[in-house]
């Protein structure tokens, strides 16, 4: 076994700084959406569900994504304000798992992000009853056309109240990196609450 494989290549440093470093590399190497992450939620009965969303802000305060609060995920979040996030950057053969409680972003934050998007994205999301049955795809296009007429270029498209964001405050962040012979390298950081010190340990792969 080569000597370099005997030591972890994941430093026991600040996990937010480590996230930043890996994310910066992913932005260079991923063909698209390096900020795409799987978001796992669960019903109060413990039935899980998972889907992709985009990371739209992050830092020591947490990891932020935007969505429709009346969607399937929104209902699960409303009933159980906890979630897990997963990044898998295939080109780097790396994975990051993040777990913790959720809080809704402020209206001001949601407004600012909503209005930073292109007009067509704002209209597409305002016209969507996300996750509810759609009898015909043409019905959605009709709604989009109605909103385009109601809000011509130069007017502000109001953010629907249910279109909002959530911030996951991590209590656990785990880094995984592919190593030769499937002797992969994992380091898990945990803390008991926001602002508390992180502990870390290597894990068997
Ligand atoms: C790469 C990718 C990024 C996505 N980003 C978002 C997002 O940021 N917000 C969102 O609501 N849905 C996003 N979606 C769509 C979701 O995966 C999902 O279809 C939708 O949110 C409905 O999920 P739900 O029925 O579990 O609520 C994305 C899908 C993909 C494949």
């Amino acid at each position: 076994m080569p000597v370099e494989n005997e030591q972890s290549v994941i430093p026991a440093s600040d996990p937010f700084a480590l996230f930043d470093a890996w994310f910066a590399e992913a932005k260079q190497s991923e063909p698209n959406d390096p900020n795409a992450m799987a978001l796992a939620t669960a019903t109060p009965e413990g039935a899980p569900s998972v889907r992709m969303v985009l990371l739209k802000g992050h830092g020591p305060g947490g990891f932020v994504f935007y969505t429709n609060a009346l969607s399937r995920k929104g209902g699960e979040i409303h009933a159980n304000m906890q979630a897990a996030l997963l990044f898998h950057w295939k080109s780097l053969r790396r994975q990051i798992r993040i777990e913790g409680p959720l809080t809704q972003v402020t209206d001001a934050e949601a407004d600012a992000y909503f209005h930073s998007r292109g007009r067509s994205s704002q209209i597409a999301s305002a016209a969507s009853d996300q996750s509810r049955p759609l009898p015909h795809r043409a019905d959605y296009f009709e709604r989009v056309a109605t909103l385009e007429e109601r809000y011509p270029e130069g007017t502000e498209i109001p953010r629907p109240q249910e279109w909002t964001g959530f911030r996951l405050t991590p209590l656990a962040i785990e880094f995984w990196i592919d190593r030769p012979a499937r002797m992969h390298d994992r380091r898990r950081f945990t803390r008991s609450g926001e602002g508390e010190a992180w502990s870390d340990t290597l894990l068997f792969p």
Side-chain angles (χ1 to χ4, degrees), residues 122-144:
Q122 295 181 42
I123 288 194
S125 48
S128 172
D129 285 342
Q130 192 179 58
S131 308
R132 278 143 292 169
L134 171 64
H136 305 285
R137 199 162 154 72
D139 299 343
Y140 180 38
F141 278 68
E142 226 170 84
R143 284 189 182 198
V144 166

Side-chain angles (χ1 to χ4, degrees), residues 19-41:
F19 179 90
D20 284 344
W22 282 27
F23 190 36
E25 284 184 62
K27 285 179 183 165
Q28 298 303 316
S29 68
E30 288 297 305
N32 54 46
D33 293 341
N35 59 336
M37 56 187 185
L39 163 72
T41 53

Side-chain angles (χ1 to χ4, degrees), residues 84-104:
L85 304 174
L86 173 79
F87 292 87
H88 176 215
W89 293 306
K90 291 184 183 180
S91 62
L92 296 173
R93 299 176 184 275
R94 291 179 187 179
Q95 166 179 268
I96 301 180
R97 299 166 63 171
I98 303 173
E99 291 138 41
L102 296 172
T103 46
Q104 193 171 329

Side-chain angles (χ1 to χ4, degrees), residues 33 36 51-54 66-68 71-74 130-131:
D33 293 341
R51 81 291 289 154
M52 302 302 290
V53 295
L54 296 176
Y66 287 89
T67 194
N68 186 310
S71 65
R72 175 174 173 192
K73 79 179 85 48
Q130 192 179 58
S131 308

